[in-house]
Structure formats: structure tokens, C-alpha cells
Amino acid sequence: MSASTPDLTALDSATREALRRLITTLADSKRLMGLRYSDWLLGAPSIEMGIATSSMAQDEWGHARLLYAMLKELDVDPEVVEHDRAAEEYASLDVLDAPFDNWAAVVSAMVVVDGALSVALESFGRGGFESAGTRIPKMLAEEEFHASLGVAWYRRLAGAAHEAHALLREATEAQLPSVLAWLGADDEPARALLAAEITDAGSSQVEAFRDAVREVVVAAGVDVDAIEPASAWDEKRGRGPGAPDEGAVERARGDRNRSLFVE
Amino acid sequence: MHEIVYDVFARKNRGDALTHVGFVDALDDETARVYAWKTYDEENWFEMCVVPRSAIIPVNRQVTAPRGHRGNRP
């Protein structure tokens, strides 16, 4: 990919729309990932893990804020995107639509979902969009701690009692298909971003992701190379079908906090 | 799930002495690294490290853990 900054005004409308879709799906996924971590601040297995989960939630929300701000360069008001959209407009990964049922699912998401987001960010950060190139390295440095924690916990649960192992495997097998479809998107917007040298090909991102998680998820008996991507796809939002639950979106938008604002 | 006590040491600036800032209970070295970094994040540390409490060898006293702190030795 090119290291030069593309002239955004020179991009055709389809590529600008593809870039808007990419930034929105990354930002929304970060926002929802943080929200799902925050669900476990008081339910993590130890005080230390609760603090770490809280910190990861803060990291994800910070990353989301930085990503939303990039929309300004496309003449999109981030304030509206962050606070005035309905659930059906959210472009977050569909595996984040509902709360995680158990701790094994959280741990699986640290490896699978957060891991996929990092692969997508790496690709975006290497491309020609300058704001991504300057802001994403710090995000990825923070994500190294998430990955370390996810892998350590994944291996621990995979080697634990039958029930924990089974829950981990079930969660991983449930999360992988939509994550693979999201990373490997090969629709018109994805091809436009590839042609503009803003991201790598989806197939390259999938390959990088499989390489990153292969040796981890095998501990739960999951063969990442045998998992097929989900087939259902919403091209407008760049994610699978469905939407986050309304309660999650109210929290993501900050409805209750904002109702206290005095103009 | 068995947890290990790790003591946490940090310094704010290059050249400062490493100072004991607290402890964490962790599954292993990797989780101890992250727990320490995320728990004791009130400063912009130049360096932080963790040591399993069981690796600390007493020199002049057999009980090294301060009162109220847990240790891996009796």
C-alpha cells in the first residue's frame, strides 16, 4: 500500500462512502466492545481482572472517539453519528449485538473479536489515510495488553474443567463466522478501498487474523482454518444483519448522561 | 483457580530507584504484567516490573511480607 496521503477531495463518491463505512464500522465496534467489557466490571473472576476489564473498556471508548473524529474529514458530523442514530444504523460487528452470556464468551471475544479489530486497524493504519496512520499506532500499543490478557485467560480456561472448555469452544465457534465475514469483505466498498490503497484486501486480513489466533484457539479444540465465514451480509453498513439491543445503544449514545445537559 | 502473589515495582523517571508500589494476585506472569500495568496506572511510569513473591529470598528476616499483606510463604 502507498504511504502517501490521498487527496480526499479527489476520491470518487463511492470511495468516500466506502471510507465512511469503514471508519463507522470500526468506531461502532470499538464503542460496543467497550460496552460489553463494561458489563463485566463487577463480574470478572477477580478484583484485578475487574480493574483490567474497566481499563480495557476505557481504551475501547477512547479508540472509538478517535475513530469517530476521523469522519469530520469526510464532512460527516461525528456528534450526530455518536449520539443521534438508531440501533438499526449501527455498523458494529454483529457478535457484539447482545451481551456475553458468560466469562468464557468474554475471554473468547478478547481473542477473536478484539483480535479481529486489531487486524483491521493495522491494515487501515498502514494505508494512505493520514489520520489513521498517526492515530492507530497508539491504539495498537494499548491493544497489546488486551491481547496478552486474552491469550493468557484463553489458555487457562481451555485447560480447565470440562464445562469451561466447552463454553470457550462454543463461544469461539459462534464468534468466528461473523468475524471472518467482516474482515474478509469483498464487496464493492471493500474493493474501492483496496483500489485507493486505503486498506489491504479482505483475504489478506483474514489470513493475518487466522495466523494470529490459530495456535490460541486450537487449545479449545477449534480449527480456525475449518471455520467458514457467515454468508449473510449488509453491504450498506459493512456487517452482518441485525442490530444491537436498544439498551446497549442507549448506553452507547449516552442518552441518560446527555439528558442532564443544560444548554 | 490458583493465583500467585506478585509484588509490583516501578520508577517514574530514568535513574530513580525502583519503588514497591503494591501487589496483584494473578494466574501467571503474563496476567501479572497486565494487572499491574492496569491497576497501578496513576502515574506515567518510566518502568514497571513484577516479581513473584515466592522468588524473594529473605536475608535477615524470615517473614518479609508487611502486616496485612499476603505472601506465598507461611
Side-chain angles (χ1 to χ4, degrees):
Chain A
M1 283 188 286
S2 167
S4 62
T5 305
D7 178 1
L8 292 179
T9 60
L11 294 178
D12 61 55
S13 60
T15 306
R16 283 174 66 89
E17 172 56 22
L19 182 54
R20 184 208 60 77
R21 188 186 83 165
L22 172 68
I23 295 169
T24 307
T25 191
L26 285 169
D28 284 350
S29 295
K30 285 283 184 181
R31 175 65 46 97
L32 266 291
M33 188 81 230
L35 199 141
R36 297 309 175 201
Y37 280 144
S38 79
D39 290 337
W40 287 83
L41 303 188
L42 300 177
S46 68
I47 295 287
E48 283 85 349
M49 191 61 215
I51 292 168
T53 306
S54 166
S55 178
M56 291 195 296
Q58 290 178 53
D59 288 343
E60 300 298 351
W61 279 51
H63 299 171
R65 176 54 61 84
L66 286 171
L67 287 160
Y68 284 126
M70 293 180 193
L71 291 170
K72 279 190 280 195
E73 297 181 50
L74 296 169
D75 302 319
V76 175
D77 184 354
E79 185 83 4
V80 174
V81 176
E82 278 199 73
H83 302 297
D84 289 328
R85 283 181 303 154
E88 295 72 29
E89 296 176 72
Y90 271 69
S92 41
L93 268 157
D94 49 286
V95 289
L96 298 170
D97 283 352
F100 298 125
D101 291 335
N102 52 63
W103 181 245
V106 181
V107 170
S108 177
M110 283 183 212
V111 172
V112 173
V113 185
D114 221 353
L117 283 166
S118 290
V119 168
L121 283 177
E122 280 173 17
S123 171
F124 190 28
R126 278 196 304 269
F129 186 53
E130 186 177 6
S131 293
T134 55
R135 294 175 189 174
I136 286 176
K138 183 172 185 296
M139 297 183 205
L140 292 174
E142 290 172 348
E143 286 293 336
E144 284 178 20
F145 285 99
H146 303 200
S148 290
L149 205 54
V151 169
W153 263 100
Y154 199 99
R155 290 191 168 132
R156 185 57 61 115
L157 289 185
H162 175 72
E163 184 186 2
H165 183 100
L167 287 172
L168 191 63
R169 178 175 184 154
E170 182 184 321
T172 303
E173 289 179 338
Q175 292 166 3
L176 277 171
S178 62
V179 161
L180 290 169
W182 183 78
L183 272 179
D186 187 32
D187 53 9
E188 282 191 23
R191 287 194 291 272
L193 293 175
L194 176 62
E197 300 187 324
I198 291 172
T199 60
D200 297 308
S203 57
S204 301
Q205 295 182 57
V206 167
E207 188 180 347
F209 173 73
R210 289 190 200 271
D211 288 347
V213 303
R214 184 177 291 110
E215 297 303 318
V216 181
V217 300
V218 76
V222 178
D223 177 1
V224 72
D225 297 306
I227 305 283
E228 293 291 329
S231 55
W233 184 248
D234 178 340
E235 184 169 318
K236 186 170 189 297
R237 291 182 295 165
R239 54 157 284 168
D245 63 271
E246 194 57 42
V249 172
E250 283 176 10
R251 290 163 65 200
R253 287 191 304 242
D255 289 0
R256 290 188 184 182
N257 309 62
R258 292 171 66 77
S259 70
L260 298 172
F261 280 8
V262 177
E263 297 294 339
Chain B
M1 199 167 281
H2 178 66
E3 291 191 314
I4 305 163
V5 181
Y6 288 80
D7 281 297
V8 183
F9 299 86
R11 62 176 128 223
K12 291 182 195 172
N13 301 297
R14 188 193 298 273
D16 287 353
L18 271 175
T19 304
H20 183 252
V21 295
F23 71 97
V24 292
D25 293 331
L27 303 175
D28 52 25
D29 294 356
E30 198 54 45
T31 49
R33 284 181 63 246
V34 182
Y35 289 170
W37 189 249
K38 296 296 189 186
T39 302
Y40 297 100
D41 66 348
E42 69 277 9
E43 299 281 357
N44 186 21
W45 301 110
F46 170 75
E47 182 180 9
M48 176 182 284
C49 47
V50 290
V51 181
R53 189 168 287 172
S54 61
I56 296 175
I57 301 168
V59 174
N60 68 326
R61 291 173 65 89
Q62 287 307 303
V63 179
T64 57
R67 184 189 298 272
H69 282 213
R70 284 163 288 165
N72 288 344
R73 291 183 300 278

